[in-house]
Amino acid sequence: GAVVSQHPSRVICKSGTSVKIECRSLDFQATTMFWYRQFPKQSLMLMATSNEGSKATYEQGVEKDKFLINHASLTLSTLTVTSAHPEDSSFYICSASTGWKGQPQHFGDGTRLSIL
Amino acid sequence: DAKTTQPNSMESNEEEPVHLPCNHSTISGTDYIHWYRQLPSQGPEYVIHGLTSNVNNRMASLAIAEDRKSSTLILHRATLRDAAVYYCILRDYNTNAGKSTFGDGTTLTVKP
């Protein structure tokens, strides 16, 4: 149980393109989803917390107009990287958890984004 | 957010026990201690979590100090598949949807 599916697993696109990444909880309802980015040989950096039906809460330094997050249902959150540039190239990972905050997060397999 | 500190790296021999330490001296009463591990180019995988008492599951054991300022993840018999980066994080169940801050983790190398 507790499977999180993230799609696509890899994206290569030209500078200026907008890219959408989907995160789905397959067998549980996720009232909260988290989006992280990870650079090579570094730890995960939390970008934003997404709650179903409300606006995402962004961490300091993360541009909300650059990284659009939508959590329209209890099983789906999307991250759109708008007008992506090479510096946005990174490994993006989502996680989901149920409403009880002490419970573990369940992570997707990540999306490798490469902007040319 | 309360922070955790872990050794950068550890080595183990295959089929031997491994004890991965984590310090969290500023832990609050509402923080759960969670452990995850991450293989290259994959998302983290949940390992175990606990609040005050020691915990066991099929993957590992978690030993929590009485004052909760430190904990140890125990892999009873390391295998080559256990080689990964192990993260110890605190998850506050009381505030802000339980968001977690990841530290640098411990890179575990398992030698055959």
Side-chain angles (χ1 to χ4, degrees):
Chain A
V3 177
V4 174
S5 174
Q6 189 172 339
H7 180 80
S9 59
R10 185 173 182 93
V11 179
I12 302 173
C13 57
K14 294 181 179 180
S15 184
T17 307
S18 291
V19 179
K20 180 185 283 190
I21 302 169
E22 291 188 349
C23 180
R24 294 181 184 272
S25 57
L26 297 186
D27 52 2
F28 68 101
Q29 292 187 330
T31 54
T32 304
M33 289 186 173
F34 303 91
W35 287 96
Y36 297 84
R37 66 187 297 182
Q38 185 176 33
F39 292 108
K41 300 199 181 300
Q42 293 187 22
S43 185
L44 284 76
M45 183 191 80
L46 180 65
M47 298 175 67
T49 302
S50 165
N51 292 300
E52 185 265 337
S54 63
K55 290 184 179 180
T57 302
Y58 290 82
E59 294 300 301
Q60 191 172 9
V62 178
E63 299 175 59
K64 61 180 181 181
D65 295 329
K66 175 76 171 176
F67 300 100
L68 301 178
I69 292 172
N70 183 277
H71 192 160
S73 77
L74 285 171
T75 59
L76 174 64
S77 175
T78 60
L79 167 68
T80 301
V81 183
T82 61
S83 187
H85 293 285
E87 58 266 29
D88 298 321
S89 298
S90 188
F91 191 52
Y92 292 86
I93 309 169
C94 72
S95 74
S97 67
T98 62
W100 187 53
K101 300 158 189 176
Q103 286 292 343
Q105 297 179 70
H106 302 285
F107 288 83
D109 283 336
T111 297
R112 176 77 57 193
L113 177 61
S114 301
I115 308 297
L116 305 177
Chain B
D1 301 330
K3 295 289 190 282
T4 61
T5 54
Q6 302 174 251
N8 286 336
S9 62
M10 291 186 67
E11 281 190 357
S12 172
N13 293 317
E14 198 175 9
E15 298 192 2
E16 289 186 356
V18 182
H19 291 233
L20 298 166
C22 181
N23 287 321
H24 28 79
S25 58
T26 59
I27 191 170
S28 75
T30 52
D31 281 326
Y32 273 79
I33 301 160
H34 288 241
W35 284 82
Y36 297 84
R37 68 183 185 183
Q38 185 180 25
L39 297 170
S41 298
Q42 293 186 24
E45 174 189 27
Y46 165 74
V47 178
I48 200 166
H49 77 291
L51 185 62
T52 56
S53 303
N54 295 343
V55 184
N56 299 298
N57 66 20
R58 62 175 180 81
M59 291 181 69
S61 295
L62 175 60
I64 301 173
E66 198 169 331
D67 63 5
R68 300 208 327 126
K69 294 185 176 182
S70 66
S71 61
T72 302
L73 178 70
I74 302 165
L75 307 178
H76 296 286
R77 288 185 66 194
T79 69
L80 297 178
R81 289 176 298 177
D82 292 323
V85 179
Y86 286 79
Y87 294 101
C88 162
I89 64 173
L90 303 180
R91 192 143 192 252
D92 187 346
Y93 67 77
N94 210 32
T95 62
N96 199 11
K99 73 173 186 177
S100 308
T101 300
F102 278 74
D104 291 333
T106 296
T107 299
L108 175 65
T109 302
V110 180
K111 297 183 287 185

